[in-house]
Amino acid sequence: VLLPETWLTPPTFTSAPRCCSFSTVKSWLPILTWLPNYNLRWLQMDVLAGLTVGMTVVPQALAYADVAGLPVQFGLYSAFMGGFIYMFLGTSKDVTLGPTAIMSLLCFSVVGGEPHRAVLLSLLCGLIQATMGLLRLGFLLDFISYPVIKGFTCAAAVTIGFGQVKNILGLRGIPTEFVLEVYYTFAKIPEARVGDVVLGLLCLIFLITLTFMKMTLPSDDAPTYTRVARKLIWAVATMRNALVVVGATVVSFSWEAFGHHIFTITGETAQGLPPFKPPPTSDTTANGTNVTFGEIVKDFGSGLAVIPFMGLLESIAIAKAFGSQNGYRIVANQELLAIGLTNIMGSFVSAYPVTGSFGRTAVNSQTGVCTPAGGIVTSSIVLLSLAFLMPAFCYIPKASLAAVIICAVAPMADYTVVKKMWKIYKLDLLPFGVTFLVCFWEVQYGIIAGVAMSGALLLYNTARPKIKVLDHDTLVLELRSGVSFPATEYLMLFLIFSESPPRSVVLDCHHVSVIDYTVVTELADLLRQFKAQGVRLVFARLEVQVLLLRAAKEYLKEKYNVLMGLIVGYIMNLNINGLDSELLSYYERSGDV
């Protein structure tokens, strides 16, 4: 499929844009960049992709609602608004917004399966995300490191996957806390329902078989009959979730019609489209106590910060990955705005927080979608399901939904990443391990702990710059990075308490691009101490002389005139007496002293 030229270059701001110019409007409404070029070919491909994704999103939305601890219809309520909003505001042709396993788990950890609070959480998350987009704060996502993300996703895969074992076994009365869940699941295995176990295992085998068949399909340059068979297998494998849920529902309905209740089914669900109304700003407990908006927000706690960030991070990472794969670029801040408005408007139709889905985005891309208009078709299928199929959803066996969820989250448990981190940078295993372990206690605390550990490692590298000793007679220190105030004390102690006091100390600052004011003042004090001990301090290959001298002037102009002369002399006048001859000849040849 040929991509339109507008997908190769994202909308950008001019140096002095007019607030009402067409280019400015296009930067806020990316639909205007591709809609004028829309044609019949793109319409055909968008409809095909939208239908394919629609057959995937309906069963997944039903299953993810169970992960969030909500009635199954809330998954569908959350699955259709993204297609309409993203068509106007999105900058990726492939991304599909909707409920995901990770966001469902985070939602459950914050609201505990209470629908009214889940809807309010969607509104608040959307407001935070849209505000970040308007203020161009997308750079804040860079502070969540890759080890933290992988630690969280691996823990989420284990938590979500094992949480569905009870549905495969047909067990009831299992606690939601992970440790207790593991204990009681194994303790109650003798109570497993045979019908649920058999149906769940059959669904798992069917899904796994189709997944491996899709992964081992032959290439496109095969003979004609092979290509036809390949497309048929790909289509069946892509719609495997829908086939499993439909087949299991038919089996369940057949047994229920004859009065045999051998499966655990979802039960009665609300029928029809959700009402369009503002999200609730208060709640009422089971005993009739009214809970105010402020109390609800207080109960959300750190989840109100974690969920918006993780939603943005997941969606933007997916958009960047498929943009790179398909040859176009996305605008991160515009993506923030699109996700934020999706969650805001979704809260008016009883949706819980959503984000980009990797699996459905991959299906969208592989089917050949050309523009975000494919999301309209997907959303229409969800609305049709809500309008006409809800009575049938009450017969869906929970074991079939559990099989769908387990197969969806299994690829997230990427154990190979541990081996890669060990080979590349072993300290990355610290934030990974902290995030992974703490997430089994509380998901949002795990992410916060991982970010804190990553920040601590980052600050440690700032406070302890790499120093390479090149010579022992005349001490030559090569600084590997910038020197800022957290590293001052470490650098001073390293210079003062050397094993053998040198006659001269050379600071090779070739790699130093930043020296702050605190460092300058400490260097002035060090120069005074070195002068008293008869030691010379020389700065070599310094790239920020002007910055150093200007800062030194302001601080030293009255109290340390002698030291000012020393700095100027050593840096600018090549006063390098006392250096070893070999070292002196090296710096004279380089001309960098």
Side-chain angles (χ1 to χ4, degrees):
V1 178
L2 295 177
L3 296 177
E5 183 180 353
T6 52
W7 286 112
L8 301 180
T9 305
T12 56
F13 292 102
T14 60
S15 57
R18 292 176 297 175
C19 61
C20 296
S21 66
F22 184 67
S23 61
T24 303
V25 174
K26 284 201 303 182
S27 68
W28 292 102
L29 288 174
I31 185 176
L32 298 178
T33 63
W34 55 264
L35 187 60
N37 301 318
Y38 204 75
N39 55 50
L40 182 61
R41 172 62 176 168
W42 291 356
L43 176 62
Q44 294 172 344
M45 299 305 298
D46 287 345
V47 170
L48 176 62
L51 290 172
T52 306
V53 176
M55 295 296 292
T56 303
V57 70
V58 171
Q60 282 191 347
L62 296 171
Y64 290 150
D66 185 69
V67 175
L70 302 172
V72 292
Q73 66 268 20
F74 280 85
L76 296 178
Y77 293 166
S78 307
F80 66 85
M81 186 60 72
F84 295 110
I85 300 295
Y86 198 81
M87 185 186 75
F88 291 94
L89 300 177
T91 60
S92 169
K93 72 180 183 66
D94 300 300
V95 167
T96 62
L97 300 181
T100 65
I102 288 178
M103 291 301 289
S104 299
L105 176 64
L106 287 171
C107 181
F108 176 76
S109 68
V110 173
V111 304
E114 298 184 28
H116 289 114
R117 296 197 176 195
V119 174
L120 179 59
L121 180 64
S122 177
L123 173 65
L124 297 178
C125 288
L127 290 173
I128 293 172
Q129 292 166 333
T131 301
M132 291 179 63
L134 292 173
L135 297 180
R136 299 300 190 243
L137 298 179
F139 69 92
L140 294 177
L141 300 175
D142 297 335
F143 289 94
I144 303 179
S145 66
Y146 184 77
V148 174
I149 298 171
K150 295 305 295 184
F152 164 66
T153 54
C154 288
V158 175
T159 303
I160 295 171
F162 191 85
Q164 297 304 312
V165 173
K166 62 179 182 290
N167 291 328
I168 293 286
L169 300 177
L171 301 177
R172 298 179 181 178
I174 303 296
T176 56
E177 294 183 14
F178 182 74
V179 176
L180 296 177
E181 186 177 44
V182 172
Y183 174 78
Y184 282 101
T185 298
F186 284 105
K188 291 190 173 185
I189 285 180
E191 302 176 15
R193 295 166 58 97
V194 176
D196 288 324
V197 173
V198 172
L199 181 63
L201 291 178
L202 288 176
C203 290
L204 279 174
I205 293 172
F206 183 77
L207 289 171
I208 293 172
T209 301
L210 287 180
T211 300
F212 277 104
M213 290 177 65
K214 186 177 180 180
M215 293 170 56
T216 57
L217 288 175
S219 59
D220 289 332
D221 55 359
T224 303
Y225 66 90
T226 304
R227 291 200 303 270
V228 173
R230 178 185 183 279
K231 291 181 179 180
L232 178 62
I233 294 174
W234 183 89
V236 173
T238 299
M239 294 185 292
R240 60 188 180 275
N241 293 331
L243 295 176
V244 162
V245 172
V246 170
T249 303
V250 171
V251 172
S252 173
F253 176 78
S254 300
W255 284 95
E256 291 287 333
F258 287 99
H260 301 289
H261 308 291
I262 65 173
F263 303 116
T264 303
I265 59 177
T266 57
E268 293 296 328
T269 58
Q271 300 182 17
L273 301 177
F276 189 87
K277 61 180 181 180
T281 55
S282 62
D283 198 6
T284 304
T285 62
N287 60 7
T289 304
N290 185 56
V291 184
T292 64
F293 175 77
E295 291 173 331
I296 295 176
V297 173
K298 184 178 179 180
D299 290 340
F300 287 163
S302 60
L304 200 55
V306 171
I307 292 181
F309 269 81
M310 292 307 300
L312 295 174
L313 190 67
E314 185 177 4
S315 187
I316 290 177
I318 292 170
K320 286 183 176 180
F322 283 90
S324 174
Q325 174 182 312
N326 294 325
Y328 63 87
R329 294 170 56 197
I330 62 116
V331 181
N333 288 310
Q334 184 66 26
E335 292 292 303
L336 303 187
L337 184 61
I339 301 169
L341 286 181
T342 296
N343 281 321
I344 292 173
M345 296 305 299
S347 67
F348 285 81
V349 291
S350 302
Y352 67 89
V354 301
T355 186
S357 166
F358 185 85
R360 296 193 295 272
T361 298
V363 171
N364 207 26
S365 176
Q366 293 168 5
T367 313
V369 69
C370 293
T371 70
I376 297 294
V377 181
T378 300
S379 298
S380 300
I381 292 178
V382 175
L383 290 173
L384 289 173
S385 300
L386 281 168
F388 301 107
L389 298 180
M390 289 305 293
F393 289 160
C394 67
Y395 293 102
I396 298 177
K398 287 190 175 183
S400 64
L401 295 180
V404 170
I405 294 172
I406 291 173
C407 291
V409 301
M412 291 164 49
D414 185 10
Y415 63 89
T416 60
V417 71
V418 177
K419 184 187 298 184
K420 294 176 182 177
M421 290 181 190
W422 178 263
K423 289 182 178 180
I424 297 173
Y425 188 56
K426 295 179 177 60
L427 283 179
D428 277 341
L429 291 174
L430 281 178
F432 172 85
V434 168
T435 306
F436 181 79
L437 294 176
V438 179
C439 277
F440 291 119
W441 171 44
E442 283 288 348
V443 175
Q444 61 267 33
Y445 292 157
I447 297 172
I448 293 173
V451 172
M453 178 60 69
S454 293
L457 293 176
L458 186 64
L459 292 175
Y460 180 82
N461 291 330
T462 302
R464 296 293 182 267
K466 298 294 183 181
I467 298 176
K468 181 179 180 182
V469 180
L470 299 179
D471 194 90
H472 296 289
D473 185 11
T474 295
L475 187 61
V476 181
L477 305 178
E478 180 182 342
L479 301 177
R480 298 294 184 86
S481 60
V483 183
S484 55
F485 70 91
T488 304
E489 186 69 17
Y490 173 73
L491 179 61
M492 298 304 106
L493 293 176
F494 191 93
L495 292 172
I496 294 173
F497 295 103
S498 301
E499 293 183 1
S500 56
R503 291 179 295 115
S504 299
V505 175
V506 177
L507 286 181
D508 188 347
C509 304
H510 176 64
H511 299 291
V512 175
S513 59
V514 176
I515 296 180
D516 63 22
Y517 187 74
T518 304
V519 176
V520 172
T521 60
E522 291 290 342
L523 286 175
D525 184 62
L526 183 67
L527 280 168
R528 180 175 54 80
Q529 296 181 45
F530 276 13
K531 182 184 178 184
Q533 299 173 9
V535 179
R536 298 177 182 271
L537 179 62
V538 179
F539 296 89
R541 300 200 288 180
L542 187 62
E543 299 180 0
V544 288
Q545 298 96 327
V546 176
L547 173 63
L548 179 61
L549 290 175
R550 286 183 62 186
K553 271 185 180 180
E554 295 298 324
Y555 185 80
L556 305 174
K557 59 184 178 182
E558 293 186 359
K559 294 186 178 181
Y560 297 103
N561 289 326
V562 175
L563 298 181
M564 184 66 209
L566 285 174
I567 295 177
V568 175
Y570 284 136
I571 296 179
M572 305 302 295
N573 297 329
L574 306 181
N575 189 347
I576 51 178
N577 296 326
L579 298 181
D580 287 349
S581 58
E582 181 178 351
L583 183 65
L584 175 61
S585 61
Y586 166 77
Y587 282 114
E588 283 180 338
R589 288 195 305 272
S590 65
D592 287 330
V593 178

